Amino acid sequence: MATFPEDDALVGEYAVPDDVRPVVDRVIGFIEEEVLPYEERHGDHVGGPLDYLDGEGLLKPETRAMQAEIRQRSADEGLYALHLPEEVGGGGLSLREMFYVQEAVFRYGTGHGSGVARAMLAWTEGPSPALVHLDDAQREEWLDPLVAGEETACICITEPGAGSDVTAVSTTAERDGDGWVLNGDKRYITNGPFADTAQVLARVEDADGPAHERMAMFLVDTENPGYEVGQPNLNIMMDGITSDVHLRDCRVDGDHLVGEVGDGLPLALSWVNWRRSGRPGMCAGLGRYLLDRMLTYAKEREAFGEPIGTNQAVQWPIVETATELHAVRDMGTRMLAAYDAETSLSDLDQPATARRKLSMLKYYPEDRLFDWADRAIQVLGGYGLMHAGGVERVFRVARNIRIPAGATEIQKRTIAKTLGLE
Ligand SMILES: Cc1cc2nc3c(=O)[nH]c(=O)nc-3n(C[C@H](O)[C@H](O)[C@H](O)COP(=O)(O)OP(=O)(O)OC[C@H]3O[C@@H](n4cnc5c(N)ncnc54)[C@H](O)[C@@H]3O)c2cc1C
């Protein structure tokens, strides 16, 4: 059904297995029939490299409205929350199956800078597997609107004094009658300025035990007067959605607690692990987008009277990328299948072997993507550095993702620990 052109030389090489083909075809069909024509019709807001940002560097309302529309259309088609279990309204896909979905979205939906295509699939703003732990009443209030794509969320873990070391979080939660009062400063919060719901990690003041046992996760309606959006965090990705968040005597009812006091850290890690598990598919999709761009350019661009792709110096980075894509695809799909067989993202007690898999699956594909993006810029020459060339943005994304959801060094630290090196 998908009519995107496949490069003849590669057909069959990066095959999608038969059991996943139907859902991947639906995703590609949605991008082709809904997203790309929509971007075309609303080109004013995605036409230029920075046309989607306002004067403060935040997403323009028009761009947000476009993303919201794509998100809701995707949710209506049952594509937005494919990663969640069916009992909470998701598509019930395994992580291995999600690999192929992510790959398709990032390969075919990377044409514009506005993130409109990417909005079809739940990302940081979407319903995370951590929220499966809500009870029925909580689900109806908080999770259902996220699954339906009607609302968005943000996750507030990082603080000025707590990044890699999550246990250093100093935002406090104090009991107040049957509710809680939150106070603290959060930093680098994706979708912080625009979310409807914030998932806030805090330290419970009167709980006993070491720091990691005293944490709790709270849901905050961002219209709560105690939720303040701080300064935008302008960053390498120019995403327009990242900011400081301040909690100032932010009172929430008792039923805004997710799970129990003490669940905060595993819940936060459940959210983080969700992002880690998506990296192999994301990197494979972006890698294939880069490979498409490199192949096309190397065949069409001429220098010294012949296509640049006739030179070995131009062929080899393309060859290496095509080869390494196999490594990431095989590693990603096999290790995610093994993770699926072992546990699930919503399991708060992750076996060490599962944590190790996710850490390996985060850092290695990200490192490869960084090299692929660097090579793509080199193959495209000056055009590769231009916004119009379509690859410098992937380079910035590739550089970025090696820090959020646990920096590369933290992944290696986790892997080393599971190998008995501590
Ligand atoms: C664009 C963007 C979006 C983000 N979105 C969110 C969000 O939505 N919500 C949220 O809560 N957070 C978010 N973050 C924060 C992100 O998770 C943190 O930046 C990340 O965890 C690293 O923390 P840090 O920046 O404080 O670095 P630090 O912890 O200060 O680390 C600095 C360097 O030291 C290294 N290092 C630290 N400790 C060790 C160690 N023991 N061994 C070896 N090396 C070590 C790190 O790997 C890193 O290279 C976002 C960040 C960015 C850049």
Side-chain angles (χ1 to χ4, degrees):
M1 74 160 285
T3 58
F4 278 109
E6 290 277 351
D7 189 289
D8 285 342
L10 299 175
V11 167
E13 286 290 308
Y14 301 127
V16 175
D18 289 346
D19 65 311
V20 198
R21 192 75 247 179
V23 69
V24 170
D25 276 346
R26 281 177 62 211
V27 166
I28 295 174
F30 183 81
I31 296 174
E32 198 170 35
E33 288 155 26
E34 298 268 341
V35 180
L36 299 185
Y38 184 83
E39 283 187 326
E40 192 103 337
R41 283 200 302 280
H42 297 78
D44 284 355
H45 307 302
V46 289
L50 297 177
D51 285 357
Y52 58 96
L53 299 178
D54 67 15
E56 264 193 290
L58 292 176
L59 275 194
K60 280 181 181 173
E62 297 92 328
T63 320
R64 282 190 280 128
M66 287 172 66
Q67 291 181 348
E69 180 153 354
I70 293 298
R71 186 168 58 244
Q72 276 169 43
R73 284 193 199 184
S74 176
D76 291 346
E77 294 291 324
L79 296 173
Y80 178 63
L82 286 168
H83 64 292
L84 281 188
E86 286 172 349
E87 57 268 28
V88 298
L93 292 198
S94 66
L95 293 187
R96 169 187 160 272
E97 291 166 320
M98 281 304 295
F99 172 95
Y100 295 103
V101 169
Q102 301 260 11
E103 182 182 43
V105 170
F106 282 93
R107 181 183 185 194
Y108 296 116
T110 297
H112 286 291
S114 64
V116 168
R118 209 191 61 201
M120 70 166 289
L121 204 60
W123 184 251
T124 297
E125 83 301 326
S128 88
L131 297 182
V132 169
H133 292 278
L134 299 177
D135 65 29
D136 286 348
Q138 288 175 314
R139 280 183 188 175
E140 199 176 321
E141 183 176 356
W142 303 99
L143 183 57
D144 291 354
L146 294 175
V147 173
E150 292 159 2
E151 295 188 355
T152 64
C154 65
I155 181 96
C156 300
I157 302 172
T158 306
E159 302 181 353
S164 302
D165 182 3
V166 179
T167 61
V169 157
S170 64
T171 292
T172 55
E174 283 183 80
R175 287 177 212 272
D176 179 40
D178 62 353
W180 299 87
V181 176
L182 310 178
N183 275 292
D185 300 303
K186 298 291 182 178
R187 177 150 290 170
Y188 306 154
I189 305 305
T190 304
N191 205 34
F194 307 121
D196 301 286
T197 299
Q199 302 154 91
V200 176
L201 183 67
R203 190 162 48 86
V204 174
E205 281 298 69
D206 64 2
D208 295 325
H212 68 275
E213 290 176 9
R214 297 172 56 199
M215 294 192 164
M217 173 83 74
F218 297 90
L219 297 171
V220 176
D221 181 336
T222 58
E223 292 197 352
N224 186 316
Y227 180 94
E228 294 176 12
V229 177
Q231 62 174 6
N233 300 147
L234 306 180
N235 60 65
I236 189 170
M237 290 200 298
M238 295 187 244
D239 59 6
I241 54 173
T242 306
S243 79
D244 284 358
V245 164
H246 308 293
L247 299 148
R248 298 277 179 264
D249 293 329
C250 181
R251 191 184 189 288
V252 297
D253 291 340
D255 63 0
H256 291 214
L257 176 68
V258 185
E260 295 172 12
V261 171
D263 288 344
L265 190 60
L267 284 166
L269 291 175
S270 167
W271 188 97
V272 169
N273 284 338
W274 173 44
R275 303 318 317 149
R276 291 176 184 172
S277 71
R279 289 297 207 261
M282 173 192 184
C283 292
L286 289 173
R288 294 191 63 189
Y289 168 81
L290 295 169
L291 184 61
D292 294 340
R293 303 284 298 145
M294 284 193 273
L295 279 169
T296 304
Y297 200 78
K299 289 173 188 171
E300 289 177 356
R301 174 73 176 171
E302 294 198 358
F304 303 100
E306 55 186 9
I308 58 168
T310 57
N311 298 290
Q312 282 190 339
V314 176
Q315 292 167 4
W316 288 5
I318 302 175
V319 167
E320 285 159 8
T321 302
T323 307
E324 290 165 16
L325 259 162
H326 279 292
V328 166
R329 292 185 92 244
D330 279 1
M331 172 194 186
T333 51
R334 281 168 199 266
M335 287 184 73
L336 288 171
Y339 179 93
D340 287 330
E342 189 175 13
T343 182
S344 78
L345 290 175
S346 52
D347 182 352
L348 296 187
D349 190 14
Q350 295 277 304
T353 46
R355 284 187 278 118
R356 177 167 65 206
K357 285 186 186 69
L358 291 178
S359 288
M360 290 177 171
L361 287 165
K362 180 169 190 291
Y363 101 79
Y364 185 75
E366 289 177 350
D367 274 6
R368 292 299 86 237
L369 177 64
F370 184 72
D371 281 355
W372 302 337
D374 187 45
R375 290 173 193 153
I377 289 179
Q378 200 67 18
V379 167
L380 269 65
Y383 192 49
L385 291 166
M386 300 297 126
H387 290 301
V391 299
E392 61 79 37
R393 184 163 31 81
V394 180
F395 180 80
R396 289 186 282 111
V397 170
R399 187 62 197 85
N400 174 74
I401 58 174
R402 290 160 65 197
I403 302 284
T408 305
E409 295 76 13
I410 302 309
Q411 306 313 317
K412 291 183 179 174
R413 183 172 179 260
T414 299
I415 297 164
K417 277 188 179 182
T418 67
L419 296 173
L421 300 169
E422 51 176 345

